[in-house]
Amino acid sequence: MTATRAVNIPRSPSGSAAPRPGVRPSTGRTGTCFDNAITESFFASLECELLDRRTFRTRPEAERVVFAHIEGFYNPRRRHSANDRLSPAEYERRQALKNVRPVTRPA
């Protein structure tokens, strides 16, 4: 059970939330690395594809199974719409190749 409480946040003249001293405003926007939709999707997939289907006797057993699922299936093989239908591992590999600069040798 969770409880949610509405809070009135003072607004600046521009309409954005006025940050209190020591509090940084949110930097997240849809489609940025700060957007947690991908993280929420990951945990929903993990729960549906793995956790709802079995029971674990111990925490270490659960940790081993979750690790094996992530490293053996989720990262190398499962395709994601946020990654142009590529697996996370393939997406990272392609991004790394884009950032490789050819080695230039002095003449």
Side-chain angles (χ1 to χ4, degrees), residues 36-80:
N36 69 353
I38 293 171
T39 303
E40 290 176 12
S41 175
F42 163 76
F43 282 108
S45 297
L46 181 68
E47 188 174 19
C48 177
E49 295 169 357
L50 181 69
L51 302 179
D52 285 348
R53 298 173 186 230
R54 55 181 304 175
T55 348
F56 304 100
R57 293 178 187 212
T58 64
R59 181 182 176 103
E61 176 192 9
E63 290 171 353
R64 281 191 304 275
V65 170
V66 168
F67 180 82
H69 176 76
I70 292 169
E71 292 301 319
F73 169 69
Y74 193 87
N75 284 341
R77 291 197 288 261
R78 190 172 193 283
R79 294 182 297 193
H80 302 269

Side-chain angles (χ1 to χ4, degrees), residues 76-87:
R77 291 197 288 261
R78 190 172 193 283
R79 294 182 297 193
H80 302 269
S81 59
N83 293 345
D84 296 328
R85 302 301 304 157
L86 300 171
S87 71

